[in-house]
Amino acid sequence: MLRALTTVVVSLVLALVITPFASAAPWSPQRRAEPLAAQQWYLNWNERGARPWDGAGVAVGVIDTGVDATHPELAAAYNTEDSRSFLSYKACGLDPDCTDPGVDPLGHGTGVAGIIAAARDGRGIGGAAPEVDLVSLKAGDATGSFSADAVSQAIRYGTDAELDILVMAFTTDPWFRYCTDAPGDTAEERAQQAADLEKIQSALNYAVDRGTILIAAAGNEGFDLDHGTVDRFSSGRSGQGKREVNEGCVTMPAQSDAVITVGAVNTAGERASYSNIGHAVDIVAPGGEPLWYDEDDLLHGQDAAILTTVPESLLRKANVIADDGSSTSPEVIAECDQTAESCRYYWHVNGTSYAAPQVAAAAAILISRGTPASRVEDKLLAMAAPIGCPTRNSALLCQARAAGGNTWYGTGTLRLGRYARW
């Protein structure tokens, strides 16, 4: 489920910017960067700097709510032939476009994709690995719900399609915590959880056994995945109050041993307040912080959020695009040509959902530069910049991990070093 994220999706993002059209001239070190590159602070982990050919020859599957195939930043990377929707007939009743993986009703998958694959063509923003083959595997419905059936089918399909990397920036529904013996659960609820958990884990094992790199977001509930005792987030228990859980419960796919689990840090390199913690967290990457309005209704926080792509169709549905293509919302960036005949749209978001695709992009860069897929995880974790547990007291316990690092930051923050061998 896209719990903490949905709030961001509903509340659009940033101020209008209209810039002159820039033709896509051949890249050179002297060529000017994308106009909005200065706002992409979150890509500083690539110390050599992103290059237009990064990710070439690598196929990345985004398991999400769809990817806007018409967005000018993504159209060149989007693979129509391999993209699929795995939504059921029931889910389609809420979304007439649910069978089209190139339509994204929430903007979430499009935002994830933009971080990885936005074109480096002299306009807008630039993706961290813009030359990847981008495949949309639509498993999240128009409400932001991801069923075990849709997710497991998407994972198996992506594996059989020989995609190199699968990105999963969600929690599988309807249970935030999958338990075998939560005290208040009925026998029917326990059976459902066991069946769903088996579907998800078997699909993840199927993928990793065949060499697919799996990357998952840790989640945005500010929850201790090891020691949390109250589940307030399971839609399966909606309206029934808090649910008592125990240490035997898991959140999926974040707590699967088959995945690289990604937490989030802010601009200061500290754990973002919403980022889940636990022994499952392998690495962290920038996830940004929420926008906020002051008492005079002025917007703040753009410099600390993640700027990425958003579907034009979503903004038009929200009625925040004027006839000339400009934005009527202070939270949306419209990057248009001089005649406003061609516009690209962006918004600021935050969450572990936007940290995970950065790790996926880094993995794609390593593969494209010759690292075998079997060595990518070890190399990413080895190059991560360590961060120690905080010295101040916190409601969430920070502990050392046997695998290295700690439960807040894993092995450290994402980093491709300038002088490292990669």
Side-chain angles (χ1 to χ4, degrees):
M1 187 71 175
L2 308 176
R3 274 168 284 272
L5 228 6
T6 305
T7 310
V8 179
V9 170
V10 172
S11 115
L12 298 172
V13 199
L14 199 55
L16 170 66
V17 171
I18 300 181
T19 61
F21 174 78
S23 61
W27 185 87
S28 73
Q30 291 75 37
R31 179 181 160 200
R32 77 177 179 86
E34 277 64 29
L36 302 176
Q39 299 187 46
Q40 293 186 270
W41 60 273
Y42 54 88
L43 298 185
N44 288 341
W45 49 262
N46 186 346
E47 295 180 1
R48 296 185 189 177
R51 302 174 185 180
W53 53 82
D54 281 342
V58 181
V60 178
V62 176
I63 302 179
D64 218 291
T65 55
V67 173
D68 179 11
T70 67
H71 198 292
E73 292 280 16
L74 302 174
Y78 187 82
N79 182 328
T80 302
E81 182 178 355
D82 290 340
S83 295
R84 296 284 188 279
S85 173
F86 302 91
L87 296 179
S88 67
Y89 175 79
K90 181 179 180 181
C92 286
L94 303 172
D95 176 13
D97 295 312
C98 77
T99 58
D100 187 349
V103 175
D104 179 7
L106 293 184
H108 187 267
T110 301
V112 169
I115 290 169
I116 302 169
R120 289 193 171 266
D121 58 0
R123 292 191 65 183
I125 65 171
E131 276 299 298
V132 299
D133 192 30
L134 181 65
V135 179
S136 174
L137 305 177
K138 193 171 185 175
D141 65 24
T143 69
S145 181
F146 291 76
S147 72
D149 283 338
V151 169
S152 60
Q153 290 170 28
I155 294 168
R156 289 179 179 274
Y157 169 83
T159 301
D160 291 340
E162 299 183 345
L163 305 187
D164 298 288
I165 302 166
L166 297 179
V167 187
M168 296 170 285
F170 56 84
T171 296
T172 308
D173 297 295
W175 303 95
F176 170 60
R177 301 295 281 168
Y178 283 82
C179 307
T180 58
D181 59 352
D185 290 356
T186 65
E188 182 180 359
E189 288 171 338
R190 291 179 181 180
Q192 180 198 1
Q193 290 171 75
D196 284 355
L197 188 58
E198 169 60 24
K199 287 177 187 175
I200 302 162
Q201 189 59 62
S202 63
L204 293 170
N205 291 341
Y206 179 83
V208 78
D209 287 347
R210 287 158 179 77
T212 308
I213 297 171
L214 304 172
I215 297 174
N220 304 327
E221 292 79 16
F223 191 86
D224 186 336
L225 297 174
D226 296 330
H227 306 298
T229 58
V230 178
D231 172 8
R232 296 183 175 88
F233 309 105
S234 289
S235 60
R237 297 274 295 189
S238 179
Q240 299 182 47
K242 69 179 183 180
R243 174 189 180 218
E244 184 180 347
V245 294
N246 53 48
E247 294 182 6
C249 304
V250 294
T251 293
M252 295 297 284
Q255 282 186 275
S256 169
D257 291 338
V259 308
I260 301 172
T261 301
V262 186
V265 292
N266 57 26
T267 53
E270 300 173 340
R271 173 185 157 268
S273 59
Y274 53 77
S275 186
N276 291 345
I277 68 162
H279 282 80
V281 176
D282 295 302
I283 194 170
V284 294
E289 293 287 358
L291 299 177
W292 57 281
Y293 286 88
D294 63 21
E295 59 185 9
D296 295 320
D297 208 28
L298 296 176
L299 184 66
H300 299 269
Q302 298 97 314
D303 292 344
I306 303 293
L307 181 66
T308 189
T309 44
V310 61
E312 178 179 343
S313 58
L314 178 61
L315 301 179
R316 290 196 179 279
K317 186 175 181 180
N319 198 31
V320 295
I321 298 179
D323 292 342
D324 64 356
S326 63
S327 169
T328 60
S329 167
E331 302 181 359
V332 174
I333 289 182
E335 198 259 14
C336 303
D337 65 18
Q338 291 176 331
T339 61
E341 293 180 356
S342 174
C343 293
R344 304 179 182 195
Y345 297 95
Y346 311 88
W347 58 4
H348 282 82
V349 289
N350 69 90
T352 59
S353 287
Y354 303 105
Q358 295 175 58
V359 176
I365 292 170
L366 292 181
I367 294 173
S368 70
R369 296 188 181 183
T371 300
S374 60
R375 293 184 54 205
V376 166
E377 179 175 359
D378 287 344
K379 187 167 282 192
L380 286 172
L381 301 186
M383 288 193 293
I387 307 175
C389 284
T391 55
R392 65 184 184 280
N393 292 330
S394 172
L396 296 179
L397 182 64
C398 183
Q399 296 177 298
R401 298 166 70 240
N406 56 63
T407 54
W408 274 38
Y409 300 107
T411 57
T413 189
L414 177 64
R415 175 176 176 265
L416 296 185
R418 180 181 297 275
Y419 303 109
R421 295 184 61 183
W422 51 278

